[in-house]
Amino acid sequence: MIEQRKGGIISDIVGMVNRGLIRPPQTWSAKTVRTNFSSLKRRLGFASLVCLGILVLASCVWFTDRYNDRPLQTVTLKAFTNEDYPENPENTSHVFGAYPHRQLIIERIGDTQFRFLLEPASPQATAIELTDVDLAYFVAAVPSWVKADPDLTKVGLIDRQWNRQQVRFPRISPHVQVRESGDGFEQRALSRVDLARNYLNAGLWELLLFTTEDGEERIYEHVWFTFPLGLYKQLFEQVNGLSYWSYWWRLEHWVDPSGTPIRLDRLRTVERERTVSVSAQWDEPPAVRGEQLPKPRNILTPPAPTYRDWYNQPVHFSSFIPPGRYSRAHPCETQLHYLAELTGSVIQRIKTPGDPRPLFEIELTFRSSKTGEPTRLILGGLDLAAVPAGSPEEYERGWQVPFGIGNPSFFESYEELPAKPPFRRSFYGFLLDATDRWLDHHAIGVDGPLLHWDADNPSVLHLYLLSYERHALLNHFVITCPPDICPWREHDSTR
């Protein structure tokens, strides 16, 4: 059709010339016009082919560079000064920024083992190395028993990618090496190195260097880098036994799987169910300790005098944006109305495919103050016997974990990972709608739960909801567990 129309246009013009309606230059003729148009058509066709070839070549170069899987690669580092990053909630050292590093060498030295070498950028700094680090514990992964369900696999992988994992390596760790160079400060004062996979797109990672001042650990350098995606792809496929290309777009971009059906019966079998007494401490002032202490600057809503006040007003927090920092200029709007009214509570004794021990599932149901819709909060695969005991005044010592399937805690030591690999952990946590479809807890404004047993009453379990980016506690629930559900608590008030 297009070719016919092009020919028709040429014929029309030639006809107009022949009838005298168009007076071409004396050198023109109908044959000349037709020849010129044919020549132009050939030129345009050739130019289109050249442009297409250039586009294909550029795409190949981009793809090859982006997914470079050479075992030894050097990546650039990004750092922010205090002036560049006023929202930074970290407790920084008085020498923050004085010992910079210019680039990072990443080397694959085994199937999933890697070496990280920070090269100094000033005469006073020195090279610092993390060696023989098994990144199988860092890559987005799901437990093997989940992979039979495509929906659970999708949600599990995305929620693993969307949650921070920061791992500690103390100075005395055999994985930490400090070179003998610089002015000696780092050899003398480095107390710990943290490797973090932040919760944004795949490949956005961080390194944090700590020193001890006034009896507490403080950061003296924090750098951001992109982990080579070609190596990340290899890790993903080796750990999961799945094709990276089936999930790459969702992992490298923020693609929300809201509405995905969650089939809980694929995750556990219920052995016993009991309705339990749960009271929400609506009129209690939100506790502020631990990670919440330095974060009020990133709460963009007036302070909440009580937990109830989080649900009586629009709540905004600073967003977490690439490469992995908070920004007050990008407010994150929440939808806490989904959790505004507690309507029910159940605790179940369950069995999961990956753990022979009796485990537990807690379900709290809510009603939206805005739409009246019901929402289910599911916390399952819980080893309640391993949850620590303490007082609410020291809630930060409790066990906390992000929502998802088999996720590690937000902060752990490297030694904890081989002992209990994330892809073998039984925990799962979701917010679900009335038809058991996945709700984006980030958009609602919740990161996950924090749990501890009461130090004085062995039948009382404390549950807190951590806000988006753990800026604040959103609620405090006191759960009274019956002895036939948790019999060991009757005789053990010291766990």
Side-chain angles (χ1 to χ4, degrees):
M1 180 67 74
I2 293 175
E3 289 300 321
Q4 290 176 355
R5 184 58 192 142
K6 286 180 179 176
I9 293 172
I10 294 171
S11 299
D12 291 346
I13 295 174
V14 171
M16 293 172 72
V17 171
N18 289 336
R19 293 196 302 273
L21 299 176
I22 295 178
R23 294 184 178 275
Q26 293 299 317
T27 57
W28 281 24
S29 67
K31 181 179 180 181
T32 302
V33 171
R34 185 179 296 277
T35 300
N36 287 343
F37 270 98
S38 297
S39 175
L40 176 61
K41 185 167 67 172
R42 287 195 300 272
R43 291 174 188 170
L44 289 175
F46 178 74
S48 298
L49 287 174
V50 170
C51 290
L52 179 61
I54 292 172
L55 180 62
V56 170
L57 179 61
S59 298
C60 290
V61 170
W62 172 87
F63 184 89
T64 302
D65 181 65
R66 182 172 175 83
Y67 296 101
N68 188 333
D69 60 1
R70 286 183 295 106
L72 180 64
Q73 300 190 38
T74 300
V75 300
T76 58
L77 299 173
K78 173 69 176 176
F80 296 102
T81 66
N82 289 327
E83 291 72 25
D84 294 333
Y85 187 12
E87 299 95 338
N88 188 0
E90 296 167 341
N91 190 7
T92 56
S93 163
H94 73 279
V95 296
F96 181 75
Y99 292 86
H101 293 80
R102 64 188 177 91
Q103 62 184 18
L104 177 67
I105 296 174
I106 300 176
E107 182 181 9
R108 183 175 184 172
I109 58 176
D111 286 343
T112 56
Q113 283 73 35
F114 281 77
R115 166 180 171 261
F116 297 84
L117 177 63
L118 277 169
E119 294 192 330
S122 68
Q124 63 267 29
T126 190
I128 296 174
E129 183 176 345
L130 282 179
T131 189
D132 196 25
V133 179
D134 194 340
L135 295 188
Y137 308 127
F138 288 76
V139 69
V142 291
S144 59
W145 58 88
V146 169
K147 295 173 189 171
D149 188 308
D151 292 321
L152 290 175
T153 301
K154 176 177 66 176
V155 167
L157 289 172
I158 292 173
D159 231 347
R160 176 75 189 276
Q161 180 59 56
W162 283 6
N163 284 291
R164 184 178 187 84
Q165 181 184 10
Q166 184 168 326
V167 178
R168 302 186 301 273
F169 296 82
R171 175 68 178 86
I172 61 173
S173 168
H175 301 280
V176 178
Q177 298 179 13
V178 184
R179 302 286 175 85
E180 293 295 331
S181 60
D183 65 6
F185 169 81
E186 292 183 284
Q187 292 91 341
R188 181 178 67 255
L190 175 73
S191 62
R192 143 182 158 214
V193 179
D194 282 13
L195 178 63
R197 179 189 54 76
N198 71 45
Y199 88 89
L200 297 171
N201 303 340
L204 297 184
W205 290 39
E206 306 166 23
L207 276 166
L208 302 90
L209 306 182
F210 290 78
T211 187
T212 302
E213 292 177 0
D214 300 326
E216 61 180 3
E217 286 193 310
R218 298 179 181 177
I219 295 171
Y220 74 86
E221 186 176 29
H222 186 167
V223 292
W224 289 257
F225 65 95
T226 299
F227 187 88
L229 287 173
L231 296 177
Y232 190 83
K233 171 186 174 294
Q234 290 180 340
L235 274 168
F236 178 93
E237 293 182 340
Q238 185 156 350
V239 173
N240 287 288
L242 301 169
S243 169
Y244 181 73
W245 300 123
S246 297
Y247 302 95
W248 74 278
W249 184 260
R250 292 180 180 274
L251 296 176
E252 294 181 24
H253 306 83
W254 197 276
V255 181
D256 189 340
S258 287
T260 300
I262 300 297
R263 302 170 185 88
L264 292 171
D265 59 344
R266 306 279 179 90
L267 290 169
R268 58 30 171 181
T269 301
V270 177
E271 295 185 327
R272 186 184 304 173
E273 178 178 298
R274 286 286 302 274
T275 300
V276 292
S277 171
V278 177
S279 61
Q281 309 302 295
W282 296 110
D283 298 321
E284 188 177 284
V288 180
R289 288 182 61 86
E291 192 182 4
Q292 286 73 51
L293 273 173
K295 289 192 171 183
R297 76 187 72 176
N298 287 313
I299 302 174
L300 308 183
T301 297
T306 68
Y307 285 117
R308 189 184 305 278
D309 292 293
W310 290 125
Y311 305 89
N312 292 334
Q313 61 180 324
V315 176
H316 297 80
F317 299 109
S318 292
S319 287
F320 198 66
I321 65 171
R325 53 166 290 180
Y326 297 114
S327 172
R328 292 176 60 88
H330 299 80
C332 174
E333 182 179 358
T334 64
Q335 301 177 59
L336 295 177
H337 63 85
Y338 280 104
L339 307 174
E341 182 185 347
L342 179 66
T343 58
S345 54
V346 169
I347 188 167
Q348 300 177 135
R349 193 163 180 162
I350 64 171
K351 280 288 186 67
T352 66
D355 197 322
R357 300 171 301 164
L359 300 172
F360 298 87
E361 179 179 294
I362 297 171
E363 176 180 340
L364 302 183
T365 52
F366 298 87
R367 182 181 293 113
S368 166
S369 60
K370 185 175 181 180
T371 66
E373 297 173 80
T375 300
R376 299 172 67 195
L377 167 65
I378 306 292
L379 304 174
L382 294 169
D383 180 7
L384 291 179
V387 172
S391 70
E393 288 73 28
E394 295 180 319
Y395 73 85
E396 77 280 6
R397 297 185 181 182
W399 178 75
Q400 57 181 322
V401 66
F403 286 130
I405 303 174
N407 281 346
S409 185
F410 303 101
F411 305 97
E412 292 183 333
S413 69
Y414 183 73
E415 288 69 27
E416 292 177 80
L417 295 176
K420 198 172 184 182
F423 47 79
R424 292 182 188 152
R425 299 186 188 187
S426 58
F427 173 78
Y428 52 89
F430 312 105
L431 291 178
L432 305 179
D433 67 11
T435 60
D436 286 350
R437 293 183 179 273
W438 191 81
L439 295 172
D440 183 355
H441 55 90
H442 296 277
I444 290 175
V446 188
D447 258 12
L450 188 153
L451 293 161
H452 72 82
W453 288 103
D454 192 89
D456 299 319
N457 188 339
S459 65
V460 168
L461 181 67
H462 297 269
L463 165 62
Y464 307 82
L465 292 186
L466 298 163
S467 79
Y468 167 81
E469 276 301 300
R470 304 160 318 278
H471 290 305
L473 298 187
L474 297 175
N475 215 327
H476 175 197
F477 302 97
V478 177
I479 305 172
T480 302
C481 294
D484 61 327
I485 289 287
C486 309
W488 72 90
R489 296 300 305 170
E490 287 298 294
H491 309 287
D492 185 358
S493 60
T494 62
R495 294 189 73 92

